[in-house]
């Protein structure tokens, strides 16, 4: 019986194995071969490395050094063949394949500027830039490779016009703010949509533990080593295909994939050291004691009442900044394998990134792996999968104004107080410390965040493309506040422990059809249409405990009392229909139109659906007969577009009135949590864009320029309401904001590299000018926002979003030394009504400049980043420059204070009782945030092929790189590229409240392949 079963099994296996073999033999009898030569129309020579594709299939080939290609196994019958290569206009022709025969299809391609021939992602597809009539910016993998930063978003800083990247702080793994063509929303979010390999991903901050301002976003889990290209869709014509999430722009990230041919193993690694490139000038002990005593003297106190005794309390000075800063390592290691055959291509990689922070107690580590597979099951059926796994471990520290912040207290600590001592080994209450010891905080307390993430999709392409994508994120946090740190709440509570878990899932199902009907002649048409469903769900739990016995710490299970707990879940769904048509006449006249309809569960039944149309036109002027003289020297394309996009970045139940459990004295109960608005609808942005793409002198000079105007209406705002209702605000659609400006991208080949000369030099410059204005609010009622209750940013009609709003400082009275504060309302005395707009956190312009020099096997890359015209509220100065109003150490700015009648200065007199006006939050603390930063200098050497071959390597390279080498600025804080409100802040911007500084980094790297 067993033998019979085995025999039957063997027979079944034989049938299974024979079936595809028979199918392949039948397939071979129904296929033919296409061969030909791709020729340069200018030189009449073959074009090597061109990609030749049988349209509508996965079958492709690359031309040889002589421009020859061959495509085998092409199905019989009429078919279209397309050729494309960077630097040449794409071409397509129709042929008829005969079974068992070879048909010839030669191409003559016209050289164009590389600027117009590069391939860019456009959302649900890709296209040559020559055929694109919307605004898209691109960054290649080479531009972000070996960057000692945790996230892809930080690596984009200064690399693209119209894209503003703000570091916020230098914490390892810190959340980044990215704005495309300015902020356009007050409460619904201004971050763009991120799409990886066609799938929208998690990008929010899922942490539950606030650490004083800075945050962590899900974007840090994206490994830059795995990225092949990044394309940013900027105008509405490009982003409308993503509808309700496109108003802030779309970042399309494409990961690396394998190519048919010999299998390759690639290796890259770097190791470096980091340190802070700036410290804040603070008083030493003698200066501090003298000035604090002066503050008491100025306010009439007797010498016997002074807090400090000269010669006793100022005997020693301790460097608290030096105690919390350190030199720190950073490293990255990646190993990848790729290759495949005509049928199967693969890419596999693994990487490890480790960055120790330059402030003690902070560190970020990430391990990542990726597998991307492409399988051509038949000539028309392509199966693809992209799977990435990431594990993060982030040691975070309190900061940005926290009362127990490491850097905060290092700056604020009195300089005569000892760092070490006491029973815990650290200076404390017994030593006279006014604040908790920051070194003790970093050594004895901790906050650890760990994430596990799976991001991937499976895709099948036949007539339709069907895609299933998933982003699954698990996040765990553990915090321990040690009772051994004097001056903290944990010291009085015998320790505080917190732990939480968050799980977030996103599932995306999409199906769309791409068709290219044959119109004949010079007409080309491509159409895409499809549907998408997205499911989002998250749940969390949290618990906090106090009172720990010695030896049993950290975990809440050891706590005597559970003082706080929470648990909840939320979800939202999105259903979409979308379409786009691209039409081209003679490859000269371009027309594109798209439409998307989104239905979101976040809105009420009456306004659940939003509709987002867009259209763009393009005209390749240099192809016209009348422009023949121009065409000899230049390629010129004009573009224009208009479209409408949306924003749904609000809570999942904003349109509904909600309730939650509210037990009282052990009795179950419920309480209303929020007031709903069933009429709530989409925030909508309409945008016009006019641009041109110009290439001169055979591509030696390229210019991409755009003018845009974005108008956002029906702003999703939490509008204040009467407290009689039991609530203070409700979500509503009120107000509008306008952004308008100019994007410029300029690329030049200053010196063309040749085999004889060996020297080359290229330059890339990008510039962005943006003006932002609030046009309308509810009853024109302005409102303010801020950090730690200090509301210094305003939303007001006619002003830029988040303008600084505080008292206007008009100098120091030479007679009294008191600050002169402008009286705005005419009422005697300084009142809240005297506040006015005193600055703008948004720059007049910003950008970046990259130069690449090549000399045979040497490459030198330099990158300079700049911003001009933005103001910064240096909020640290409300303590470090308060004239003696607090016990914080003071900035050396205070050495220029008023001391006697007749002194002319902008620093008021010292005042122990805070009556000189020095401590008032005024424009005295607004500083010029303009800067020019040497962002990168990288020197690399490519090993000669002969030496690399002896080592068994291919394309081997060694490099040394410096990042954030120096910043030229008048700003007195650590870093002018700062915002202590974090990455998700909309109104508050450009505020520095003890933000973590950026690190200067020197790295040594090696890369190669086998």
């Amino acid at each position: 019986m067993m033998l019979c079963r085995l025999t039957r099994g063997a027979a079944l296996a034989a049938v299974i194995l024979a079936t595809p073999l028979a199918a392949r033999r039948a397939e071979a009898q129904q296929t033919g071969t296409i061969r030909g030569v791709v020729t340069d129309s200018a030189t009449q020579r073959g074009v090597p490395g061109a990609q030749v594709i049988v349209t509508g299939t996965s079958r492709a080939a690359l031309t040889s050094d002589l421009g020859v290609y061959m495509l085998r196994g092409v199905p019989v019958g009429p078919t279209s063949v397309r050729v494309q290569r960077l630097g040449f206009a794409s071409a397509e022709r129709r042929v008829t394949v005969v079974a068992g025969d070879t048909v010839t299809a030669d191409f003559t391609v016209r050289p164009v500027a590389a600027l117009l021939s590069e391939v860019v992602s456009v959302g649900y597809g890709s296209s040559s830039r020559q055929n694109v009539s919307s605004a898209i910016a691109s960054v290649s993998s080479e531009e972000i490779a070996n960057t000692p930063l945790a996230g892809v978003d930080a690596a984009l800083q200064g690399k693209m016009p119209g894209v503003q990247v703000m570091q916020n702080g230098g914490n390892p793994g810190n959340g980044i703010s990215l704005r495309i063509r300015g902020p356009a929303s007050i409460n619904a979010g201004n971050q763009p949509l991120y799409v990886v390999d066609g799938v929208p991903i998690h990008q929010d901050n899922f942490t539950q533990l606030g650490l004083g301002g800075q945050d962590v976003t899900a974007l840090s889990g994206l490994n830059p080593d795995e990225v092949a290209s990044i394309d940013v869709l900027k105008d509405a014509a490009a982003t409308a295909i993503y509808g309700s999430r496109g108003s802030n722009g779309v970042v399309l990230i494409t990961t690396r994939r394998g190519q048919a041919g010999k299998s390759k193993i690639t290796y890259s690694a770097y190791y470096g050291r980091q340190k802070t490139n700036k410290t804040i000038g603070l008083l030493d002990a003698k200066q501090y004691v003298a000035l604090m005593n002066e503050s008491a003297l100025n306010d009439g106190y007797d010498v016997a009442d002074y807090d400090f005794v000269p010669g006793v309390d100022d005997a020693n000075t301790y460097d608290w900044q030096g105690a919390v800063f350190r030199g720190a390592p950073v490293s990255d290691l990646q190993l990848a394998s790729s290759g495949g055959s005509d049928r199967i291509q693969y890419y596999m990689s693994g990487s490890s990134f480790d960055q120790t922070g330059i402030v003690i107690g902070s560190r970020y580590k990430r391990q990542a792996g990726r597998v991307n597979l492409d399988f051509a099951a038949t000539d028309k059926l392509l199966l693809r999968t992209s799977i990435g796994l990431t594990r993060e471990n982030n040691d975070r520290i309190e900061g940005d104004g926290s009362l127990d912040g490491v850097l905060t207290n290092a700056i604020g600590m009195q300089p005569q107080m000892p760092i070490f001592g006491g029973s815990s080994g650290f200076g404390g209450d017994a030593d006279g410390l006014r604040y908790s010891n920051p070194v003790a905080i970093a050594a004895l307390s901790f906050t650890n965040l760990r994430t596990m993430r799976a991001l991937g999709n499976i895709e099948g392409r036949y007539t339709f493309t069907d895609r299933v994508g998933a982003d699954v994120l698990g996040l765990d946090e553990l915090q321990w506040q040690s009772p051994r740190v004097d001056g903290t709440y944990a010291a009085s509570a015998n320790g505080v422990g917190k732990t939480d878990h968050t799980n977030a899932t996103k599932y995306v199902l999409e199906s769309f059809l791409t068709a290219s009907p044959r119109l004949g002649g010079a007409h080309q048409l491509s159409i895409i249409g499809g549907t998408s469903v997205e499911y989002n769900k998250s749940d969390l739990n949290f618990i906090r405990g106090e009172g720990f016995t010695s030896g049993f710490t950290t975990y809440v299970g050891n706590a005597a009392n559970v003082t706080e707990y929470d648990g909840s879940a939320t979800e939202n769904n999105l259903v979409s229909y979308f379409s786009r048509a691209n039409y081209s006449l003679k490859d000269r006249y371009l027309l594109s139109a798209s439409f998307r309809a989104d239905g979101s569960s976040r809105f009420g039944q009456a306004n659940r659906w939003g509709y987002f149309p867009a259209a763009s036109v393009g005209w390749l002027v240099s192809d016209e007969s009348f422009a023949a003289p121009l065409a000899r020297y230049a390629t010129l394309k004009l573009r224009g577009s208009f479209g409408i996009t949306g924003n749904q970045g609000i809570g999942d139940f904003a349109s509904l009135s909600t309730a939650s459990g509210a037990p009282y004295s052990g009795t179950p109960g419920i309480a209303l949590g929020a007031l709903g608005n069933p009429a709530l609808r989409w925030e909508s942005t309409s945008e016009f864009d006019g641009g041109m793409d110009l290439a001169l002198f055979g591509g030696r000079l390229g210019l991409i320029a755009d003018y845009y105007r974005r108008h956002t209406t029906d702003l999703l705002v939490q509008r204040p309401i009467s407290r009689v209702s039991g609530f203070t605000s409700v979500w509503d659609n009120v107000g509008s904001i306008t952004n308008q400006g100019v994007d410029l991208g300029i690329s030049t080949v200053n010196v063309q590299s040749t085999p004889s000369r060996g020297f080359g030099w290229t330059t890339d410059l990008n510039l962005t000018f943006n003006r932002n204005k609030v046009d309308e609010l509810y009853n024109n009622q302005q409102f303010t926002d801020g950090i730690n209750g200090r509301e210094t940013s305003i939303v007001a009609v006619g002003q830029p979003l988040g303008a600084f709003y505080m008292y206007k400082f008009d100098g120091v009275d030479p007679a009294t030394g008191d600050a002169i504060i402008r009286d705005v309302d005419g009422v005697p005395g300084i009142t809240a009504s005297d506040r006015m707009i005193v600055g703008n956190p948004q720059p007049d312009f910003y950008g970046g400049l990259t130069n690449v020099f090549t000399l045979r096997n040497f490459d030198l890359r330099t990158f300079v980043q700049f911003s001009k015209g933005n103001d910064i509220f240096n909020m640290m100065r409300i303590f470090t420059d308060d004239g003696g109003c607090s016990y914080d150490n003071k900035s050396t700015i205070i050495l220029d204070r008023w001391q006697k009648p007749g002194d002319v200065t902008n620093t008021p007199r010292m005042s122990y009782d805070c009556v000189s006006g020095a401590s008032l939050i005024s424009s005295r603390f607004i500083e010029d945030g303009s800067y020019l930063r040497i962002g990168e200098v990288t020197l690399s050497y490519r090993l000669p092929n002969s030496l690399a071959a002896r080592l068994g390597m291919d394309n081997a390279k060694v490099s040394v790189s410096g990042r954030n080498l120096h910043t030229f600025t008048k700003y007195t804080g650590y870093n002018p590229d700062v915002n202590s409100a974090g990455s998700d802040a909309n109104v508050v911007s450009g505020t520095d409240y003890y933000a973590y500084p950026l690190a200067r980094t020197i790295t040594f790297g090696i890369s190669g392949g086998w």
Side-chain angles (χ1 to χ4, degrees):
M1 180 64 70
M2 180 64 69
L3 178 62
C4 181
R5 288 180 179 175
L6 289 173
T7 303
R8 288 176 182 173
L12 179 60
V15 171
I16 293 174
L17 292 171
T19 300
L21 294 175
R24 289 186 182 180
R25 286 194 294 270
E27 180 183 294
Q29 296 171 359
Q30 299 299 317
T31 62
T33 301
I34 303 174
R35 73 178 307 278
V37 180
V38 179
T39 304
D40 184 337
S41 64
T43 64
Q44 299 303 311
R45 296 179 180 176
V47 177
Q51 186 178 40
V52 186
I53 307 167
V54 179
T55 58
T57 75
S58 61
R59 190 162 298 281
L62 294 177
T63 57
S64 68
D65 291 342
L66 299 176
V68 178
Y69 75 92
M70 182 173 293
L71 292 163
R72 296 185 176 90
V74 182
V76 299
T79 191
S80 294
V81 184
R82 186 173 183 85
V83 61
Q84 59 189 32
R85 191 189 190 285
L86 187 66
F88 294 88
S90 59
E92 187 170 332
R93 61 175 297 182
R94 193 85 166 162
V95 297
T96 300
V97 178
V98 179
D101 285 351
T102 299
V103 61
T104 300
D106 293 332
F107 293 88
T108 300
V109 291
R110 175 172 54 86
V112 298
L115 180 74
L116 298 179
S117 63
E118 65 178 340
V119 176
V120 295
S121 297
V122 294
Y124 300 98
S126 61
S127 177
S128 166
R129 188 176 288 277
Q130 180 180 358
N131 298 322
V132 171
S133 52
S134 54
I136 301 176
S138 302
V139 168
S140 65
S141 59
E142 289 77 13
E143 295 179 78
I144 62 174
N146 298 322
T147 302
L149 297 167
V152 170
D153 45 2
L156 299 181
Q157 190 168 40
K159 300 296 177 65
M160 290 187 257
V163 180
Q164 183 185 18
V165 179
M166 292 167 284
Q167 295 276 1
N168 296 325
N171 321 45
N174 187 49
I176 301 296
S177 295
L178 195 149
R179 302 288 182 263
I180 298 175
R181 293 183 166 179
S185 184
I186 294 175
N187 289 136
N190 284 297
Q191 295 280 60
L193 171 69
Y194 288 83
V195 179
V196 177
D197 291 332
V199 178
I201 65 168
H202 289 307
Q203 58 193 69
D204 298 326
N205 175 17
F206 289 101
T207 60
Q208 298 184 54
L209 300 180
L211 297 180
Q214 299 300 340
D215 53 26
V216 177
T217 67
L219 293 173
S220 62
L222 298 179
N223 179 14
D225 294 331
E226 299 171 353
V227 173
S229 65
I230 300 176
D231 298 291
V232 176
L233 312 184
K234 297 189 294 184
D235 69 342
T239 63
I241 194 72
Y242 289 101
S244 63
R245 295 164 296 175
S247 65
N248 296 321
V250 181
V251 179
L252 302 178
I253 299 174
T254 303
T255 59
R256 299 177 185 270
R257 310 201 75 84
Q259 301 291 330
K262 181 181 177 181
S263 296
K264 292 186 62 177
I265 296 176
T266 57
Y267 169 87
S268 66
Y270 64 78
Y271 175 85
R273 298 290 298 180
Q274 311 163 92
K275 66 176 184 178
T276 181
N277 58 10
K278 182 178 183 180
T279 57
I280 293 175
L282 298 172
L283 303 182
D284 62 25
K286 291 186 181 299
Q287 292 170 327
Y288 178 83
V289 167
L291 266 67
M292 291 301 290
N293 286 344
E294 180 184 315
S295 71
L297 176 65
N298 287 346
D299 288 348
Y301 287 90
D302 189 84
V303 175
D305 295 327
Y306 289 178
D307 289 321
F308 305 103
V309 178
V312 177
D313 292 324
D314 57 3
N316 297 298
T317 295
Y318 298 91
D319 182 6
W320 285 92
Q321 282 187 97
V324 299
F325 284 136
R326 63 185 174 186
V330 59
S331 64
D332 183 67
L333 170 65
Q334 187 198 29
L335 184 66
S337 177
S338 64
S341 63
D342 289 343
R343 288 288 187 188
I344 300 177
Q345 298 89 45
Y346 66 90
Y347 174 84
M348 298 182 294
S349 72
S351 65
S352 176
F353 176 80
D354 188 349
Q355 181 180 18
T356 301
I358 59 173
V359 178
I360 57 175
S362 58
R363 186 178 185 181
Y364 174 85
K365 295 187 290 183
R366 180 186 62 229
Q367 293 80 42
R370 173 165 291 276
V371 176
N372 289 351
L373 295 175
D374 298 80
F375 172 47
T378 71
D379 292 311
K380 292 187 177 181
L381 175 60
L382 173 65
L383 302 176
R384 308 181 76 187
T385 183
S386 306
I387 300 174
L389 301 175
T390 308
R391 179 183 182 274
E392 297 174 281
N393 192 320
N394 194 342
D395 292 324
R396 306 171 66 200
I397 58 173
E398 295 268 4
D400 292 274
S402 168
L403 292 177
D404 295 318
V406 175
L407 191 59
T408 309
N409 288 10
I411 294 173
M413 192 65 69
Q414 296 161 294
Q416 72 273 26
M417 297 304 171
I419 299 170
F420 300 102
S423 59
S424 67
F426 301 96
D429 293 346
D431 301 292
L433 271 66
R434 292 280 180 174
Y435 309 117
S436 53
N437 188 322
V439 180
I441 293 171
L444 303 175
S445 301
F446 66 85
T447 302
N448 178 255
L449 178 149
R450 289 167 292 164
T451 67
M452 292 289 290
R453 186 178 193 178
L455 171 64
N457 67 75
I458 300 174
E459 183 179 297
R461 297 182 184 177
Y462 194 74
T463 304
F464 279 82
T465 296
D466 296 309
R467 178 187 296 145
V468 178
D471 187 359
V472 180
L473 173 69
L475 182 150
D476 293 280
E477 291 181 288
L478 178 65
Q479 184 180 81
W480 168 243
Q481 298 175 7
S482 174
R484 296 170 61 195
V485 182
D486 286 352
T488 62
Y489 174 80
S492 63
N494 284 327
V496 177
K498 302 176 187 177
T499 184
D500 64 70
H501 173 77
T502 302
N503 186 64
T505 59
K506 180 188 293 285
Y507 298 107
V508 180
L509 289 79
E510 294 182 323
S511 181
F512 55 93
L513 170 68
T514 303
S516 300
R518 297 295 158 189
L519 304 180
H523 305 276
Q524 292 186 18
L525 177 66
S526 65
I527 301 172
I528 185 173
T531 184
S532 173
V533 180
E534 182 176 307
Y535 303 94
N536 296 277
K537 184 176 182 179
S538 64
D539 57 78
L540 61 88
N541 55 63
F542 169 85
I543 190 168
R544 177 185 187 276
E546 296 180 0
F548 290 80
T549 302
S550 178
F552 296 88
T553 63
T554 306
Y555 298 98
V556 179
N558 294 326
N561 301 297
V562 173
T563 58
E564 187 179 351
Y565 54 88
D566 189 18
S568 63
T570 185
E571 61 182 294
N572 71 84
N573 303 321
L574 187 71
V575 179
S576 309
Y577 301 92
F578 56 88
S579 64
R580 181 178 61 221
N582 295 322
Y583 170 74
S584 170
L585 175 61
K586 298 181 180 180
D587 282 332
R588 186 184 311 162
Y589 309 106
L590 311 173
L591 173 64
S592 178
S594 66
F595 180 80
R596 182 167 179 130
D598 281 339
S600 172
S601 63
R602 288 177 166 173
F603 298 97
Q605 290 286 348
N607 296 303
R608 183 153 290 178
W609 285 89
Y611 305 98
F612 308 100
S616 63
V617 295
W619 177 27
L620 200 60
V621 179
S622 52
D623 274 9
E624 297 287 357
S625 57
F626 67 78
L630 170 68
R632 276 185 269 174
Y633 308 101
T635 301
L636 173 64
K637 182 175 71 174
L638 301 180
R639 298 177 279 104
S641 69
F642 180 82
I644 298 173
T645 54
N647 191 340
Q648 60 151 3
I650 57 175
D652 290 339
F653 310 114
S655 64
L656 304 174
S657 295
T658 59
S660 59
Y664 180 74
S665 299
T667 302
I670 62 172
L672 289 176
L675 188 63
N677 180 0
L680 200 64
R681 59 186 181 274
W682 302 86
E683 190 172 281
S684 178
T685 297
S686 59
E687 181 174 6
F688 165 79
D689 183 284
M692 73 171 183
D693 301 336
L694 173 66
L696 295 167
F697 315 120
R700 295 284 295 271
L701 171 63
L703 169 66
I704 298 179
D706 287 88
Y707 165 78
Y708 60 88
R709 187 179 188 276
R710 305 171 62 213
H711 186 58
T712 304
T713 58
D714 292 334
L715 293 175
L716 289 163
V717 175
Q718 288 182 296
R719 174 173 60 84
I721 58 175
S722 171
R723 294 178 181 270
V724 176
S725 64
F727 301 93
T728 58
S729 65
V730 63
W731 280 100
D732 204 352
N733 296 98
V734 290
S736 62
I737 292 176
T738 296
N739 285 275
Q740 60 181 335
V742 175
D743 296 344
L744 294 174
I746 302 171
S747 60
T748 62
V749 181
N750 306 312
V751 179
Q752 183 78 55
S753 177
T754 63
S756 59
R757 181 166 49 218
F759 175 72
W761 174 22
T762 63
T763 299
D764 290 285
L765 170 68
N766 68 81
L767 280 169
T768 302
F769 302 81
N770 184 74
R771 296 295 177 268
N772 171 273
K773 187 178 70 170
V774 176
D775 297 315
E776 181 186 358
L777 292 173
Y778 178 73
N779 291 335
N780 288 337
Q781 292 178 0
Q782 64 188 33
F783 61 92
T784 56
D785 198 359
I787 297 176
N788 283 9
R790 297 175 175 91
E791 299 194 346
T792 55
S793 299
I794 193 170
V795 180
V797 172
Q799 300 296 329
L801 182 64
F804 292 122
Y805 183 71
M806 57 188 68
Y807 297 118
K808 181 70 172 70
F809 174 75
D810 283 335
V812 174
D813 186 340
T816 65
D818 291 341
I820 303 173
I821 302 298
R822 185 173 300 180
D823 186 0
V824 175
D825 62 1
V827 177
I830 302 302
T831 67
S833 300
D834 289 319
R835 293 179 298 167
M836 60 181 290
I837 292 171
V838 297
N840 181 7
Q842 301 180 36
D844 296 332
F845 64 87
Y846 59 88
L849 175 68
T850 301
N851 281 283
V852 178
F853 305 89
T854 59
L855 179 61
R856 295 183 173 85
N857 287 17
F858 287 94
D859 292 332
L860 176 65
R861 174 188 291 268
T862 65
F863 170 63
V864 174
Q865 171 197 342
F866 52 85
S867 178
K868 181 68 173 67
N870 57 296
D871 294 317
I872 297 177
F873 172 31
N874 189 343
M875 199 170 173
M876 292 184 289
R877 289 179 59 190
I878 67 177
F879 297 109
T880 64
D881 191 11
D882 65 358
C885 191
S886 69
Y887 282 106
D888 287 55
N889 197 1
K890 308 306 174 189
S891 164
T892 53
I893 293 174
I894 212 165
L895 296 177
D896 191 36
R897 70 200 178 282
W898 183 96
Q899 299 181 63
K900 63 183 184 304
D903 284 351
V904 178
T905 178
N906 282 321
T907 304
R909 67 181 176 89
M910 300 295 293
S911 173
Y912 187 86
D913 289 333
C914 315
V915 295
S916 70
S919 60
L920 281 176
I921 296 179
S922 71
S923 60
R924 194 166 72 89
F925 303 140
I926 300 296
E927 301 185 30
D928 182 4
S930 303
Y931 68 90
L932 186 148
R933 174 180 294 138
I934 302 175
E936 175 191 1
V937 176
T938 299
L939 177 64
S940 58
Y941 175 71
R942 195 177 306 276
L943 271 62
N945 293 335
S946 57
L947 176 59
R950 285 198 297 271
L951 298 174
M953 301 179 69
D954 176 38
N955 198 25
K957 184 171 66 175
V958 294
S959 63
V960 58
S961 179
R963 306 273 177 165
N964 295 327
L965 294 178
H966 187 74
T967 301
F968 300 92
T969 182
K970 295 179 181 179
Y971 180 59
T972 61
Y974 289 119
N975 169 39
D977 178 27
V978 64
N979 186 26
S980 289
S983 65
D984 58 355
N986 295 323
V987 175
V988 179
S989 182
T991 298
D992 185 357
Y993 198 27
Y994 301 97
Y996 196 116
L998 293 182
R1000 176 193 293 154
T1001 308
I1002 305 295
T1003 60
F1004 299 88
I1006 182 172
S1007 63
W1010 295 270

